[in-house]
Amino acid sequence: MLNGIWAALAAVIAFAISATVGKVLIPALHKLKYGQTILDIGPSWHKKKEGTPTMGGIMFIIAIVVSTAVVTTCLALFGSIYEPTGYSFGKEVFMMIVSLAMAFLYGAVGFLDDYIKVVKKRNLGLTAKQKLGFQFGIAIAYVAVNAFFGYGSKTYIPFLGTVDFGSFAIVYYIISVIVIVGIVNAVNLADGIDGLVGSETFFVALFYMIVASIMSSPATTVLSSAIAGGCLGFLIWNFNPAKVFMGDTGSLFLGGAVCAMAFAMNMPVILIPMALVYIIEMLSVILQVSYFKLTHGKRLFKMSPIHHHFEKCGWSETKIVVVFSSFTVVVGIIVTALVILGL
C-alpha cells in the first residue's frame, strides 16, 4: 500500500513537471525556429504540420529523471522494502539508475539527430551507420554493466523462476543487445502521428508498473510510474492537433525507457510482448521494403509504417491512436495475467 503511494507520487510529479515545462519549452522552440520539416515521402496532408516545434521530448525526459530521482530517494529513506525475488533493493536501484541512464543516452543520440536536422538544416540528420553505431555502443555498454555489476547471467522468467544461463550467458547478452537496439528503433518508427507513441508508451509504462508492483520491485515501480506520468503530461501538448512533436529526442529516449523497465526488474522476457505494438510497426516497414523489392515495385501496404496505411484507408489520427492504444491495453492485460499465473 505504501509503495503504491510512492508510485502515485512519482506519476504526479512527472506529470506536473512535463506539463509545466511545456509552457516554457514550446514558446522557446518557436523562438529558436526549431520546427519540424515534413518529408515528401510521408502523407501529403502532413505538410500542414510543417514548422511545428520538435525536440519536445525534452519535457518528459526532465520530468522522468527528476521524479524518479526524488521519489526513489524518498522510498529508500522512508519506504517499506520487501525483497521476495532474492535481489536486494540496492541492486535494483543500481540497475534502475543504469537503465535510466541508457534511455537518457538514447535520448541524447536523438537530440543530436534532431539538432542536425533543424539547426544544421540537414533533413536526414545522422546517417544510418552513425545512428546504429551509437545505438549498438550504448546497448553493449549497458549489457556489459548488467553482466559485471548487475544481475549477471541470471534473469527471472514467469513459470520457470530465476534462470541462470551459465555457459550460455554470451548468447543471452548478444540477444539482449540486438533486442534493445531493435526495440529502440521500433519505437522511433512508430512516432508519426500526433499522440501515438506518447499514448502507447503511457499504457506500456502503466502495465510495467503493475507487473513491477506484483513482483515487489519498488524501484522499477517508481520508474514506470514516472514514465507514465511524464508521457501523460506531454500528451497535453501532443494530442491532435499537436502543438509540439517529441522528435527523435523523445522517441529514442522512450525506446530506451521501454527496455529499461524490463531490464531494471530483471524480467526482460516480457519486453517483446510489452513492446508488441512497436514491433508490428517495425515489421510493417520490413515487409513493405522486402515485398517492394521482390515484386519489383508493388506494395504490400498503402504506406508504412502501418499507422500510415490506416491513414491512407481514411482513419483519422485520433482513431488510430485509440485503436493502437486499445491493442496495447489488451496485450498489457494478457502479459500481466501471465506474470501472475507464472509466479
mmCIF file of all heavy atoms in Angstrom, residues 285-326:
data_model
loop_
_atom_site.group_PDB
_atom_site.id
_atom_site.type_symbol
_atom_site.label_atom_id
_atom_site.label_comp_id
_atom_site.label_asym_id
_atom_site.label_seq_id
_atom_site.Cartn_x
_atom_site.Cartn_y
_atom_site.Cartn_z
ATOM 1 N N VAL A 285 7.339 -2.066 -41.871
ATOM 2 C CA VAL A 285 8.348 -1.419 -42.722
ATOM 3 C C VAL A 285 9.219 -2.467 -43.400
ATOM 4 O O VAL A 285 9.482 -2.394 -44.608
ATOM 5 C CB VAL A 285 9.224 -0.451 -41.892
ATOM 6 C CG1 VAL A 285 10.352 0.115 -42.749
ATOM 7 C CG2 VAL A 285 8.376 0.679 -41.318
ATOM 8 N N ILE A 286 9.656 -3.467 -42.630
ATOM 9 C CA ILE A 286 10.498 -4.529 -43.192
ATOM 10 C C ILE A 286 9.754 -5.287 -44.286
ATOM 11 O O ILE A 286 10.294 -5.558 -45.367
ATOM 12 C CB ILE A 286 10.952 -5.496 -42.075
ATOM 13 C CG1 ILE A 286 11.861 -4.765 -41.083
ATOM 14 C CG2 ILE A 286 11.680 -6.703 -42.669
ATOM 15 C CD1 ILE A 286 12.188 -5.570 -39.842
ATOM 16 N N LEU A 287 8.490 -5.628 -44.028
ATOM 17 C CA LEU A 287 7.683 -6.351 -45.012
ATOM 18 C C LEU A 287 7.439 -5.510 -46.260
ATOM 19 O O LEU A 287 7.490 -6.019 -47.379
ATOM 20 C CB LEU A 287 6.346 -6.765 -44.391
ATOM 21 C CG LEU A 287 6.402 -7.875 -43.344
ATOM 22 C CD1 LEU A 287 5.048 -8.046 -42.663
ATOM 23 C CD2 LEU A 287 6.832 -9.191 -43.984
ATOM 24 N N GLN A 288 7.182 -4.215 -46.041
ATOM 25 C CA GLN A 288 6.926 -3.326 -47.180
ATOM 26 C C GLN A 288 8.151 -3.246 -48.096
ATOM 27 O O GLN A 288 8.032 -3.374 -49.322
ATOM 28 C CB GLN A 288 6.570 -1.926 -46.663
ATOM 29 C CG GLN A 288 6.253 -0.896 -47.741
ATOM 30 C CD GLN A 288 4.831 -0.968 -48.224
ATOM 31 O OE1 GLN A 288 4.276 -2.045 -48.387
ATOM 32 N NE2 GLN A 288 4.235 0.190 -48.455
ATOM 33 N N VAL A 289 9.299 -3.040 -47.508
ATOM 34 C CA VAL A 289 10.534 -2.917 -48.293
ATOM 35 C C VAL A 289 10.856 -4.233 -48.994
ATOM 36 O O VAL A 289 11.206 -4.257 -50.183
ATOM 37 C CB VAL A 289 11.708 -2.485 -47.390
ATOM 38 C CG1 VAL A 289 13.025 -2.536 -48.159
ATOM 39 C CG2 VAL A 289 11.472 -1.080 -46.843
ATOM 40 N N SER A 290 10.729 -5.349 -48.275
ATOM 41 C CA SER A 290 11.038 -6.654 -48.845
ATOM 42 C C SER A 290 10.095 -6.992 -49.994
ATOM 43 O O SER A 290 10.529 -7.459 -51.060
ATOM 44 C CB SER A 290 10.943 -7.746 -47.766
ATOM 45 O OG SER A 290 11.848 -7.493 -46.717
ATOM 46 N N TYR A 291 8.808 -6.755 -49.783
ATOM 47 C CA TYR A 291 7.802 -7.043 -50.820
ATOM 48 C C TYR A 291 8.027 -6.160 -52.046
ATOM 49 O O TYR A 291 7.889 -6.617 -53.189
ATOM 50 C CB TYR A 291 6.406 -6.814 -50.243
ATOM 51 C CG TYR A 291 5.268 -7.290 -51.136
ATOM 52 C CD1 TYR A 291 4.949 -8.638 -51.219
ATOM 53 C CD2 TYR A 291 4.529 -6.381 -51.895
ATOM 54 C CE1 TYR A 291 3.910 -9.080 -52.031
ATOM 55 C CE2 TYR A 291 3.500 -6.808 -52.710
ATOM 56 C CZ TYR A 291 3.185 -8.157 -52.777
ATOM 57 O OH TYR A 291 2.161 -8.583 -53.599
ATOM 58 N N PHE A 292 8.373 -4.907 -51.802
ATOM 59 C CA PHE A 292 8.625 -3.958 -52.898
ATOM 60 C C PHE A 292 9.781 -4.448 -53.777
ATOM 61 O O PHE A 292 9.715 -4.398 -55.007
ATOM 62 C CB PHE A 292 8.954 -2.582 -52.312
ATOM 63 C CG PHE A 292 9.118 -1.491 -53.341
ATOM 64 C CD1 PHE A 292 8.016 -0.800 -53.816
ATOM 65 C CD2 PHE A 292 10.374 -1.155 -53.821
ATOM 66 C CE1 PHE A 292 8.155 0.213 -54.759
ATOM 67 C CE2 PHE A 292 10.535 -0.162 -54.759
ATOM 68 C CZ PHE A 292 9.416 0.537 -55.237
ATOM 69 N N LYS A 293 10.830 -4.950 -53.125
ATOM 70 C CA LYS A 293 11.998 -5.428 -53.875
ATOM 71 C C LYS A 293 11.713 -6.740 -54.602
ATOM 72 O O LYS A 293 12.117 -6.929 -55.757
ATOM 73 C CB LYS A 293 13.193 -5.601 -52.934
ATOM 74 C CG LYS A 293 13.759 -4.282 -52.417
ATOM 75 C CD LYS A 293 14.952 -4.508 -51.499
ATOM 76 C CE LYS A 293 15.545 -3.186 -51.033
ATOM 77 N NZ LYS A 293 16.705 -3.388 -50.120
ATOM 78 N N LEU A 294 10.987 -7.645 -53.945
ATOM 79 C CA LEU A 294 10.707 -8.949 -54.531
ATOM 80 C C LEU A 294 9.742 -8.871 -55.710
ATOM 81 O O LEU A 294 9.813 -9.671 -56.643
ATOM 82 C CB LEU A 294 10.135 -9.898 -53.465
ATOM 83 C CG LEU A 294 11.123 -10.388 -52.394
ATOM 84 C CD1 LEU A 294 10.386 -11.136 -51.303
ATOM 85 C CD2 LEU A 294 12.197 -11.276 -53.011
ATOM 86 N N THR A 295 8.817 -7.898 -55.650
ATOM 87 C CA THR A 295 7.795 -7.787 -56.702
ATOM 88 C C THR A 295 8.100 -6.676 -57.693
ATOM 89 O O THR A 295 7.259 -6.329 -58.512
ATOM 90 C CB THR A 295 6.410 -7.539 -56.070
ATOM 91 O OG1 THR A 295 6.455 -6.326 -55.303
ATOM 92 C CG2 THR A 295 5.995 -8.704 -55.176
ATOM 93 N N HIS A 296 9.298 -6.089 -57.576
ATOM 94 C CA HIS A 296 9.741 -5.036 -58.494
ATOM 95 C C HIS A 296 8.780 -3.839 -58.528
ATOM 96 O O HIS A 296 8.365 -3.394 -59.593
ATOM 97 C CB HIS A 296 9.920 -5.597 -59.910
ATOM 98 C CG HIS A 296 10.875 -6.747 -59.984
ATOM 99 N ND1 HIS A 296 12.237 -6.599 -59.818
ATOM 100 C CD2 HIS A 296 10.646 -8.086 -60.154
ATOM 101 C CE1 HIS A 296 12.818 -7.796 -59.917
ATOM 102 N NE2 HIS A 296 11.882 -8.702 -60.112
ATOM 103 N N GLY A 297 8.431 -3.362 -57.331
ATOM 104 C CA GLY A 297 7.690 -2.105 -57.265
ATOM 105 C C GLY A 297 6.290 -2.178 -56.683
ATOM 106 O O GLY A 297 5.653 -1.145 -56.486
ATOM 107 N N LYS A 298 5.800 -3.383 -56.384
ATOM 108 C CA LYS A 298 4.467 -3.488 -55.788
ATOM 109 C C LYS A 298 4.565 -3.264 -54.275
ATOM 110 O O LYS A 298 5.598 -3.514 -53.663
ATOM 111 C CB LYS A 298 3.861 -4.858 -56.076
ATOM 112 C CG LYS A 298 3.532 -5.087 -57.544
ATOM 113 C CD LYS A 298 2.865 -6.439 -57.743
ATOM 114 C CE LYS A 298 2.538 -6.669 -59.216
ATOM 115 N NZ LYS A 298 1.892 -7.992 -59.429
ATOM 116 N N ARG A 299 3.436 -2.812 -53.691
ATOM 117 C CA ARG A 299 3.430 -2.501 -52.263
ATOM 118 C C ARG A 299 2.451 -3.393 -51.516
ATOM 119 O O ARG A 299 1.328 -3.624 -51.990
ATOM 120 C CB ARG A 299 3.079 -1.027 -52.023
ATOM 121 C CG ARG A 299 4.206 -0.072 -52.409
ATOM 122 C CD ARG A 299 3.786 1.383 -52.246
ATOM 123 N NE ARG A 299 4.926 2.280 -52.364
ATOM 124 C CZ ARG A 299 5.476 2.670 -53.499
ATOM 125 N NH1 ARG A 299 4.965 2.225 -54.661
ATOM 126 N NH2 ARG A 299 6.507 3.480 -53.511
ATOM 127 N N LEU A 300 2.868 -3.856 -50.360
ATOM 128 C CA LEU A 300 2.011 -4.680 -49.511
ATOM 129 C C LEU A 300 1.005 -3.807 -48.761
ATOM 130 O O LEU A 300 -0.161 -4.170 -48.604
ATOM 131 C CB LEU A 300 2.881 -5.457 -48.517
ATOM 132 C CG LEU A 300 2.215 -6.540 -47.682
ATOM 133 C CD1 LEU A 300 1.617 -7.624 -48.576
ATOM 134 C CD2 LEU A 300 3.217 -7.145 -46.710
ATOM 135 N N PHE A 301 1.477 -2.644 -48.297
ATOM 136 C CA PHE A 301 0.621 -1.678 -47.607
ATOM 137 C C PHE A 301 0.554 -0.395 -48.429
ATOM 138 O O PHE A 301 1.442 -0.123 -49.246
ATOM 139 C CB PHE A 301 1.184 -1.359 -46.212
ATOM 140 C CG PHE A 301 1.402 -2.561 -45.345
ATOM 141 C CD1 PHE A 301 2.688 -3.036 -45.100
ATOM 142 C CD2 PHE A 301 0.330 -3.220 -44.771
ATOM 143 C CE1 PHE A 301 2.906 -4.145 -44.305
ATOM 144 C CE2 PHE A 301 0.541 -4.347 -43.962
ATOM 145 C CZ PHE A 301 1.831 -4.809 -43.737
ATOM 146 N N LYS A 302 -0.461 0.386 -48.196
ATOM 147 C CA LYS A 302 -0.566 1.658 -48.907
ATOM 148 C C LYS A 302 0.586 2.584 -48.536
ATOM 149 O O LYS A 302 1.029 3.389 -49.350
ATOM 150 C CB LYS A 302 -1.912 2.326 -48.600
ATOM 151 C CG LYS A 302 -3.102 1.567 -49.173
ATOM 152 C CD LYS A 302 -4.412 2.297 -48.916
ATOM 153 C CE LYS A 302 -5.571 1.531 -49.545
ATOM 154 N NZ LYS A 302 -6.867 2.235 -49.332
ATOM 155 N N MET A 303 1.051 2.450 -47.299
ATOM 156 C CA MET A 303 2.223 3.190 -46.827
ATOM 157 C C MET A 303 2.670 2.553 -45.522
ATOM 158 O O MET A 303 1.866 1.977 -44.788
ATOM 159 C CB MET A 303 1.894 4.677 -46.609
ATOM 160 C CG MET A 303 3.090 5.536 -46.236
ATOM 161 S SD MET A 303 2.675 7.306 -46.119
ATOM 162 C CE MET A 303 2.536 7.705 -47.856
ATOM 163 N N SER A 304 3.953 2.603 -45.252
ATOM 164 C CA SER A 304 4.461 2.105 -43.976
ATOM 165 C C SER A 304 5.237 3.231 -43.291
ATOM 166 O O SER A 304 5.701 4.162 -43.964
ATOM 167 C CB SER A 304 5.370 0.880 -44.198
ATOM 168 O OG SER A 304 6.541 1.241 -44.913
ATOM 169 N N PRO A 305 5.365 3.167 -41.932
ATOM 170 C CA PRO A 305 4.838 2.165 -41.018
ATOM 171 C C PRO A 305 3.310 2.040 -41.105
ATOM 172 O O PRO A 305 2.638 2.897 -41.679
ATOM 173 C CB PRO A 305 5.283 2.673 -39.644
ATOM 174 C CG PRO A 305 6.411 3.599 -39.917
ATOM 175 C CD PRO A 305 6.091 4.243 -41.220
ATOM 176 N N ILE A 306 2.780 1.004 -40.486
ATOM 177 C CA ILE A 306 1.396 0.621 -40.706
ATOM 178 C C ILE A 306 0.382 1.660 -40.255
ATOM 179 O O ILE A 306 -0.750 1.687 -40.752
ATOM 180 C CB ILE A 306 1.116 -0.752 -40.053
ATOM 181 C CG1 ILE A 306 -0.125 -1.382 -40.693
ATOM 182 C CG2 ILE A 306 1.017 -0.618 -38.533
ATOM 183 C CD1 ILE A 306 -0.307 -2.842 -40.333
ATOM 184 N N HIS A 307 0.759 2.564 -39.331
ATOM 185 C CA HIS A 307 -0.203 3.603 -38.954
ATOM 186 C C HIS A 307 -0.525 4.506 -40.140
ATOM 187 O O HIS A 307 -1.638 5.010 -40.261
ATOM 188 C CB HIS A 307 0.290 4.427 -37.743
ATOM 189 C CG HIS A 307 1.598 5.108 -37.931
ATOM 190 N ND1 HIS A 307 2.779 4.625 -37.401
ATOM 191 C CD2 HIS A 307 1.930 6.251 -38.585
ATOM 192 C CE1 HIS A 307 3.773 5.446 -37.704
ATOM 193 N NE2 HIS A 307 3.286 6.438 -38.432
ATOM 194 N N HIS A 308 0.448 4.696 -41.045
ATOM 195 C CA HIS A 308 0.187 5.486 -42.256
ATOM 196 C C HIS A 308 -0.716 4.729 -43.229
ATOM 197 O O HIS A 308 -1.471 5.346 -43.984
ATOM 198 C CB HIS A 308 1.501 5.853 -42.945
ATOM 199 C CG HIS A 308 2.293 6.899 -42.231
ATOM 200 N ND1 HIS A 308 1.714 7.987 -41.611
ATOM 201 C CD2 HIS A 308 3.647 7.031 -42.043
ATOM 202 C CE1 HIS A 308 2.665 8.742 -41.075
ATOM 203 N NE2 HIS A 308 3.832 8.180 -41.312
ATOM 204 N N HIS A 309 -0.645 3.408 -43.221
ATOM 205 C CA HIS A 309 -1.545 2.605 -44.057
ATOM 206 C C HIS A 309 -2.992 2.884 -43.664
ATOM 207 O O HIS A 309 -3.863 3.075 -44.527
ATOM 208 C CB HIS A 309 -1.227 1.113 -43.881
ATOM 209 C CG HIS A 309 -2.249 0.196 -44.478
ATOM 210 N ND1 HIS A 309 -2.294 -0.097 -45.825
ATOM 211 C CD2 HIS A 309 -3.291 -0.485 -43.910
ATOM 212 C CE1 HIS A 309 -3.296 -0.924 -46.069
ATOM 213 N NE2 HIS A 309 -3.910 -1.177 -44.917
ATOM 214 N N PHE A 310 -3.245 2.889 -42.346
ATOM 215 C CA PHE A 310 -4.607 3.147 -41.880
ATOM 216 C C PHE A 310 -5.033 4.591 -42.163
ATOM 217 O O PHE A 310 -6.214 4.856 -42.418
ATOM 218 C CB PHE A 310 -4.721 2.819 -40.392
ATOM 219 C CG PHE A 310 -4.679 1.344 -40.105
ATOM 220 C CD1 PHE A 310 -3.594 0.769 -39.460
ATOM 221 C CD2 PHE A 310 -5.709 0.515 -40.507
ATOM 222 C CE1 PHE A 310 -3.542 -0.593 -39.215
ATOM 223 C CE2 PHE A 310 -5.673 -0.858 -40.264
ATOM 224 C CZ PHE A 310 -4.583 -1.408 -39.619
ATOM 225 N N GLU A 311 -4.071 5.513 -42.114
ATOM 226 C CA GLU A 311 -4.376 6.890 -42.527
ATOM 227 C C GLU A 311 -4.844 6.926 -43.978
ATOM 228 O O GLU A 311 -5.822 7.586 -44.321
ATOM 229 C CB GLU A 311 -3.133 7.777 -42.379
ATOM 230 C CG GLU A 311 -2.965 8.447 -41.045
ATOM 231 C CD GLU A 311 -1.948 9.566 -41.104
ATOM 232 O OE1 GLU A 311 -0.745 9.275 -41.245
ATOM 233 O OE2 GLU A 311 -2.357 10.747 -41.036
ATOM 234 N N LYS A 312 -4.133 6.216 -44.831
ATOM 235 C CA LYS A 312 -4.482 6.147 -46.248
ATOM 236 C C LYS A 312 -5.842 5.485 -46.467
ATOM 237 O O LYS A 312 -6.510 5.717 -47.481
ATOM 238 C CB LYS A 312 -3.410 5.365 -47.016
ATOM 239 C CG LYS A 312 -2.085 6.097 -47.192
ATOM 240 C CD LYS A 312 -2.155 7.059 -48.371
ATOM 241 C CE LYS A 312 -0.782 7.587 -48.733
ATOM 242 N NZ LYS A 312 -0.813 8.461 -49.928
ATOM 243 N N CYS A 313 -6.226 4.626 -45.508
ATOM 244 C CA CYS A 313 -7.531 3.966 -45.590
ATOM 245 C C CYS A 313 -8.662 4.869 -45.103
ATOM 246 O O CYS A 313 -9.828 4.472 -45.128
ATOM 247 C CB CYS A 313 -7.518 2.673 -44.774
ATOM 248 S SG CYS A 313 -6.513 1.357 -45.496
ATOM 249 N N GLY A 314 -8.311 6.059 -44.634
ATOM 250 C CA GLY A 314 -9.328 7.020 -44.215
ATOM 251 C C GLY A 314 -9.523 7.161 -42.727
ATOM 252 O O GLY A 314 -10.392 7.914 -42.280
ATOM 253 N N TRP A 315 -8.709 6.459 -41.929
ATOM 254 C CA TRP A 315 -8.827 6.601 -40.483
ATOM 255 C C TRP A 315 -8.258 7.951 -40.048
ATOM 256 O O TRP A 315 -7.230 8.395 -40.564
ATOM 257 C CB TRP A 315 -8.044 5.506 -39.770
ATOM 258 C CG TRP A 315 -8.652 4.136 -39.855
ATOM 259 C CD1 TRP A 315 -9.513 3.660 -40.803
ATOM 260 C CD2 TRP A 315 -8.423 3.044 -38.955
ATOM 261 N NE1 TRP A 315 -9.822 2.358 -40.563
ATOM 262 C CE2 TRP A 315 -9.169 1.945 -39.429
ATOM 263 C CE3 TRP A 315 -7.645 2.882 -37.820
ATOM 264 C CZ2 TRP A 315 -9.170 0.709 -38.793
ATOM 265 C CZ3 TRP A 315 -7.637 1.656 -37.174
ATOM 266 C CH2 TRP A 315 -8.396 0.582 -37.653
ATOM 267 N N SER A 316 -8.903 8.573 -39.077
ATOM 268 C CA SER A 316 -8.367 9.809 -38.517
ATOM 269 C C SER A 316 -7.209 9.477 -37.586
ATOM 270 O O SER A 316 -7.077 8.332 -37.115
ATOM 271 C CB SER A 316 -9.448 10.554 -37.736
ATOM 272 O OG SER A 316 -9.794 9.844 -36.550
ATOM 273 N N GLU A 317 -6.372 10.467 -37.315
ATOM 274 C CA GLU A 317 -5.254 10.244 -36.403
ATOM 275 C C GLU A 317 -5.745 9.835 -35.020
ATOM 276 O O GLU A 317 -5.158 8.967 -34.372
ATOM 277 C CB GLU A 317 -4.382 11.504 -36.324
ATOM 278 C CG GLU A 317 -3.650 11.825 -37.613
ATOM 279 C CD GLU A 317 -2.591 12.900 -37.447
ATOM 280 O OE1 GLU A 317 -1.945 12.938 -36.390
ATOM 281 O OE2 GLU A 317 -2.404 13.696 -38.385
ATOM 282 N N THR A 318 -6.834 10.451 -34.579
ATOM 283 C CA THR A 318 -7.387 10.133 -33.260
ATOM 284 C C THR A 318 -7.860 8.689 -33.196
ATOM 285 O O THR A 318 -7.615 7.982 -32.204
ATOM 286 C CB THR A 318 -8.553 11.081 -32.929
ATOM 287 O OG1 THR A 318 -8.093 12.433 -32.952
ATOM 288 C CG2 THR A 318 -9.134 10.773 -31.555
ATOM 289 N N LYS A 319 -8.510 8.220 -34.257
ATOM 290 C CA LYS A 319 -8.986 6.835 -34.282
ATOM 291 C C LYS A 319 -7.809 5.863 -34.223
ATOM 292 O O LYS A 319 -7.866 4.854 -33.509
ATOM 293 C CB LYS A 319 -9.809 6.580 -35.545
ATOM 294 C CG LYS A 319 -10.356 5.156 -35.636
ATOM 295 C CD LYS A 319 -11.215 4.954 -36.879
ATOM 296 C CE LYS A 319 -11.732 3.514 -36.952
ATOM 297 N NZ LYS A 319 -12.590 3.296 -38.153
ATOM 298 N N ILE A 320 -6.753 6.157 -34.960
ATOM 299 C CA ILE A 320 -5.568 5.294 -34.955
ATOM 300 C C ILE A 320 -4.970 5.227 -33.555
ATOM 301 O O ILE A 320 -4.605 4.152 -33.071
ATOM 302 C CB ILE A 320 -4.524 5.791 -35.971
ATOM 303 C CG1 ILE A 320 -5.056 5.638 -37.403
ATOM 304 C CG2 ILE A 320 -3.216 5.025 -35.827
ATOM 305 C CD1 ILE A 320 -4.215 6.330 -38.450
ATOM 306 N N VAL A 321 -4.859 6.371 -32.894
ATOM 307 C CA VAL A 321 -4.318 6.414 -31.532
ATOM 308 C C VAL A 321 -5.168 5.569 -30.588
ATOM 309 O O VAL A 321 -4.646 4.785 -29.784
ATOM 310 C CB VAL A 321 -4.224 7.867 -31.014
ATOM 311 C CG1 VAL A 321 -3.879 7.892 -29.527
ATOM 312 C CG2 VAL A 321 -3.184 8.651 -31.796
ATOM 313 N N VAL A 322 -6.491 5.697 -30.689
ATOM 314 C CA VAL A 322 -7.400 4.940 -29.814
ATOM 315 C C VAL A 322 -7.284 3.445 -30.068
ATOM 316 O O VAL A 322 -7.181 2.645 -29.126
ATOM 317 C CB VAL A 322 -8.865 5.407 -30.016
ATOM 318 C CG1 VAL A 322 -9.833 4.466 -29.286
ATOM 319 C CG2 VAL A 322 -9.054 6.835 -29.521
ATOM 320 N N VAL A 323 -7.274 3.037 -31.342
ATOM 321 C CA VAL A 323 -7.217 1.608 -31.680
ATOM 322 C C VAL A 323 -5.874 1.000 -31.271
ATOM 323 O O VAL A 323 -5.822 -0.062 -30.650
ATOM 324 C CB VAL A 323 -7.470 1.394 -33.187
ATOM 325 C CG1 VAL A 323 -7.199 -0.063 -33.575
ATOM 326 C CG2 VAL A 323 -8.902 1.777 -33.547
ATOM 327 N N PHE A 324 -4.773 1.685 -31.600
ATOM 328 C CA PHE A 324 -3.455 1.156 -31.264
ATOM 329 C C PHE A 324 -3.246 1.122 -29.747
ATOM 330 O O PHE A 324 -2.639 0.182 -29.226
ATOM 331 C CB PHE A 324 -2.357 1.997 -31.921
ATOM 332 C CG PHE A 324 -2.117 1.679 -33.379
ATOM 333 C CD1 PHE A 324 -3.172 1.472 -34.252
ATOM 334 C CD2 PHE A 324 -0.840 1.590 -33.884
ATOM 335 C CE1 PHE A 324 -2.965 1.183 -35.588
ATOM 336 C CE2 PHE A 324 -0.604 1.292 -35.220
ATOM 337 C CZ PHE A 324 -1.674 1.083 -36.074
ATOM 338 N N SER A 325 -3.743 2.128 -29.052
ATOM 339 C CA SER A 325 -3.623 2.156 -27.592
ATOM 340 C C SER A 325 -4.473 1.052 -26.961
ATOM 341 O O SER A 325 -4.062 0.427 -25.972
ATOM 342 C CB SER A 325 -4.038 3.523 -27.045
ATOM 343 O OG SER A 325 -3.168 4.538 -27.495
ATOM 344 N N SER A 326 -5.656 0.808 -27.528
ATOM 345 C CA SER A 326 -6.522 -0.268 -27.027
ATOM 346 C C SER A 326 -5.857 -1.621 -27.206
ATOM 347 O O SER A 326 -5.933 -2.488 -26.324
ATOM 348 C CB SER A 326 -7.867 -0.247 -27.767
ATOM 349 O OG SER A 326 -8.546 0.972 -27.544
#
